[in-house]
Structures are given as C-alpha cells and as structure tokens.
Amino acid sequence: GLRKVHGNALEGDPPPHSGQSGGRPAATDRLLWTGLAAVTSALLLSTTNHMCQDTAVIPLLWVLPLSLYLTTLILCFRYEKLYRRWLFPPLFCVALVYSVMNLFSGLNASLASQIASDGAVLLAGCMVCHGELVRAKPGVAHLTGFYLAVAAGGALGGFGVAIAAPRLFGGFWEYHMSLWGTGALFLAALFRDRASFLYRKPVLIASVLVSLLLGLGGVLVKQAVDDAGRVRFVTRNFYGLLRVVEDPGGDMMKLLHGRITHGFQFTDSARAGIPTSYYSRGSGVGLAIDNHPGRERGLRIGVVGMGVGTLAAYGRKNDTIRFYEINPTVPRLSRGASPFFTYLNRSPAHVEVAMGDARLSLERELQQGETRRFDILALDAFSSDAIPVHLLTNEAFAIYLRHLRRPDGILAVHITNRYLDLIPVVHGFAKAHGLASVMISSDEDEIGAYSSDWILLASSGTVLSSDSIAAASTPWDSTSYRVIRPWTDDFSNLITVLKKSEEDP
C-alpha cells in the first residue's frame, strides 16, 4: 500500500466509518464496542447451550454455532463492505420470528426445525453485531482501544452465560436475553450513527423500532414464563437444568431435566403408589419385575438412573432396591421430611442410593469383592437427549453381567429416545455375548403410563419366557435390524444411530 501521509491517516487506508470521526472516541463509543462484542459472545454461548442441552446433544453439534460465529467474524472484518443494513437486520427479524415460534412449540417442533432456526438466528444476529462493530471501528490511532473493548466484551458475555446465568436464572433465559440484546444494540448503533436511516424520519422510525424491541421483549418474557409453568423447584448445575413442575390440575408432580420428563407421581394418596411414565406395569421393566421367578422370595434390583424413584413402587418387604445416581440434587427431591416425590419413603423394600457415576461405582464394588447379584439391573440413563455413551460399551455391559445373579438375572435397558435408535447397539451386544433378548414396546394404555421401549437381556431364555413377557415382547430377528460396529471404550459413533425422523421407532 502507499506510505504517503495525509494528516493522521496513511494513504490507502479505508475511509472513516459512518458515525465515527477521526477524533478521540467518546465513552459511548467504547460502551457500544463492548456491548456489541458482549452480546455476540453471549449469543454464541447461549445458542450452543440451548441447542446442545435444551434441544438435543448430537455429536459435534456444538461445532455448528461456533462455525457460524467465526464465519461472520471473518466475513465482516475481512470484507468490510459486505455488511448491509438493508439486508441483515431484516434477515435477523425473520430468523427471530422463526426461532420464537419454535420456542413456543417446544417438543412439538422437529429437531431439524429447531436446529435450523437456532442456526439462522445466530448467523443473522452475529452478522448484525459484527457488521455494526466494523462500522463503528475507529481510525488506526485508536484501534488498540477498540480491540481491547472487543476482547473485554467477549469475556463479559462469556462470564454472563457461563457463570452468572446458571446462578440467576431458572432456565436457559440467557438465550432470550441475547436475542433481545442483539436488537437493542442494533438500535443503539443506529442512534449513534448520524448517517443511518433512523435520522431520515427520526420520530416515526424510532417509535416503530422501540415498539418492536419492547414487543420482542414481551414475547420472550412470556415464552420464558410459559416454559417455567408451575415450577415448585428449579436448579442448574453441571448436569443441566432440573425442575419439579406441578401439573396445572394439581394432581401430579413431574421431574424435568431440560425438557425431558424423568418421571412423575400422582399427588393424591390413592394413586401415589402407582408406577407411572416409562415404568408402568405393562412396561418392559414392570413385566420383568412382576414375572421374575424369584419374585416371591424377594428380589435384588439395581437401577442406573434414579429419576423420581418410580421403580421403588415395585418394592416388597423382602426386596432390596439400589439406585445409582450421578446428580447430587436428584436424591434430595425424594428424601427428607417433605420430599416432592414419595416413592422411596412409601416403599416397604430396603432402598439404597449410591452416589456417583454408575459404571465407576459398579466397577469399584467388583474390585472390593462386592458382587451385587442383582435379579434385575435396570439401565435407565438413555431417555435424555444427552446419553452417557460410556454406559453402552461392551466393557460396561461386561461389568453389568458380573453383577447379575446367574442364570436368571435380567438386564433391562430403557431405550426410549426422541432422536437416537439404540436398538442396534443393544442388539449387537446381545449377539456378541450370546444373550437371550426380547424387546417390549408398551403404549399409554394404563393410568399414568407413557409409551416406552425396553430391551430385556438374560443369559437364559427361560427367565424371559413367562406368558406375560412373551405376549408383550418382540423377539429379535437378525434381518430386521441394521448392524453397526460394536461400541467399546475406544470407539462409539452416535451419528450411526440418529433416527431419520422423530417418528421412527
């Protein structure tokens, strides 16, 4: 480029950006830089959290929002004339409407639609914020302060989403705030830029834009309030968002992890002892317990994943039920003087709760010479969208088998899932270990029952041959299910088990 000096600028430098003079930037300019960087960072992180925790944890899904963010950053700062106010802010508005519609639709919105709307609003929002940052960029003499403000804003947005939001909000409301903040900062940029279209008819245009911004805030607040529902308890920790929600009719309490129901219990005493949701009498695990040959002598039942403790409803006086739970908050909801869920307190069985990762706990017990000899070991950790893959490997199943009573121990695997088809995984394990296996799909034909899919595995087919289990089960047919590479601690591939659509079995 040319090196001849003209005033304070080098010949060949880009012309001053609209809304900025060649003088020292004002404090409001620095606030705008920091704010635009902060809201963009918050939008990236909150969208990633929303997609990966509240929508679905799909392998490498977090790469999508990061790629969109970096793409807009590169485009806006490398090609400074690419950003146009007549194009990208309207696109952001369209994507925002699409995203808000999916927020209100909740679980009724398809996975593809949710990911598309989240990606679209992130792309358009980042283009707006990064584009406005470029337009507000000062001359060469003040670029150091500009980039320091941008860095500080990025850190501030990250702190707000990662540190502050989990302690302040009872939901992923930082996502709503980031969407609103994008609109607010764009409006602020227009006010700061005397060359913007806002000043053609300032009163009229400003009134319309402020009204739209307030309307957006009202819609997002309403969606957050509707999503909260009749929340009796809420907490956010490393394991995500956990809520206890009272049904609008007041006749049941639900435990929600994100948007996934992890069990519920009727509140009236007449029905409080009924096993509900995925664990009804007609479910795979319910049939396995009620029809086990050792039912009369007393059963030893292990459960990986506690939920609301529904399986304790099957407990009898001579039974022992041992739950393995990793989230320290979950047992507190079912214990104490006034628990939200009373399955554990009502059960006549001896109930134990082992805290920590289930696989590590079971492995440690083997190392200590404690073989649990479970008559039934229920694996109930896969109904959420974020499944613990390490519990589905051949090495993990080998540990489960060592804890089962032989020859009539049953391994019950709960595979109900919106997005993942886990049949090939469990089917492959059954074939590899020569286990008898049946699949039981139950419908909502009982009080409080959900549709559910369970796979029962046993070293002997005799224990699975009772009339009730046989009538409800679908025996494996090697030609009916696709074959995938067996999962191990060194290899797993969630992409191979993604359902083609949410209606797939």
Side-chain angles (χ1 to χ4, degrees), residues 135-443:
R135 291 181 67 94
K137 191 169 66 170
V140 174
H142 304 288
L143 283 181
T144 301
F146 171 78
Y147 286 114
L148 281 174
V150 170
L156 183 63
F159 175 84
V161 173
I163 306 298
R167 288 164 172 77
L168 297 176
F169 303 144
F172 293 109
W173 300 338
E174 61 270 23
Y175 180 64
H176 302 64
M177 295 186 66
S178 298
L179 294 177
W180 187 86
T182 301
L185 267 294
F186 172 68
L187 187 58
L190 293 182
F191 275 109
R192 289 290 302 155
D193 184 2
R194 287 284 176 177
S196 73
F197 65 86
L198 176 65
Y199 287 94
R200 296 173 188 172
K201 293 184 178 181
V203 176
L204 175 61
I205 297 177
S207 299
V208 172
L209 292 178
V210 170
S211 298
L212 290 175
L213 187 64
L214 293 176
L216 171 62
V219 170
L220 293 174
V221 168
K222 183 180 186 306
Q223 194 283 325
V225 171
D226 290 348
D227 186 57
R230 298 167 61 92
V231 176
R232 296 286 301 277
F233 173 85
V234 62
T235 184
R236 287 177 65 175
N237 58 19
F238 175 81
Y239 304 102
L241 175 65
L242 206 63
R243 292 178 294 168
V244 176
V245 178
E246 185 179 5
D247 187 74
D251 61 344
M252 68 176 66
M253 289 284 188
K254 289 184 179 181
L255 176 62
L256 301 179
H257 184 206
R259 291 188 292 178
I260 303 298
T261 299
H262 277 237
F264 70 88
Q265 184 177 22
F266 290 111
T267 54
D268 58 287
S269 58
R271 297 183 296 171
I274 296 176
T276 59
S277 63
Y278 310 107
Y279 322 101
S280 64
R281 296 284 178 182
S283 67
V285 69
L287 292 172
I289 295 174
D290 285 339
N291 295 278
H292 194 280
R295 188 64 172 122
E296 297 305 320
R297 61 168 164 77
L299 298 177
R300 295 184 60 83
I301 302 172
V303 185
V304 175
M306 181 176 172
V308 302
T310 310
L311 289 181
Y314 289 93
R316 296 180 179 178
K317 185 177 181 180
N318 295 327
D319 295 340
T320 296
I321 302 178
R322 184 175 177 83
F323 291 97
Y324 293 87
E325 176 57 49
I326 193 171
N327 192 332
T329 302
V330 171
R332 295 202 295 267
L333 303 177
S334 296
R335 289 186 155 181
S338 301
F340 291 104
F341 307 100
T342 60
Y343 282 120
L344 269 63
N345 289 350
R346 295 172 62 94
S347 179
H350 174 66
V351 178
E352 303 170 346
V353 179
M355 295 305 304
D357 181 273
R359 176 174 169 180
L360 295 179
S361 297
L362 290 166
E363 190 171 13
R364 184 167 53 250
E365 290 169 358
L366 288 176
Q367 293 171 352
Q368 295 172 352
E370 300 177 4
T371 303
R372 292 296 172 185
R373 294 176 53 82
F374 291 124
D375 296 288
I376 297 171
L377 177 56
L379 305 183
D380 183 33
F382 314 120
S383 58
S384 291
D385 304 324
I387 67 169
V389 173
H390 71 292
L391 298 181
L392 278 173
T393 65
N394 277 340
E395 292 86 348
F397 275 89
I399 295 173
Y400 307 147
L401 292 179
R402 291 179 63 185
H403 277 286
L404 285 179
R405 185 191 298 270
R406 296 301 181 96
D408 55 0
I410 298 176
L411 186 62
V413 187
H414 186 199
I415 61 168
T416 307
N417 195 286
R418 288 189 299 162
Y419 303 129
L420 302 176
D421 176 16
L422 298 177
I423 292 177
V425 179
V426 183
H427 183 213
F429 174 78
K431 289 181 61 178
H433 290 262
L435 300 175
S437 57
V438 295
M439 178 173 174
I440 298 178
S441 297
S442 60
D443 298 322

Side-chain angles (χ1 to χ4, degrees), residues 44 62-72:
L44 165 65
W62 59 269
V63 173
L64 174 61
L66 179 60
S67 299
L68 294 175
Y69 172 86
L70 293 176
T71 297
T72 64

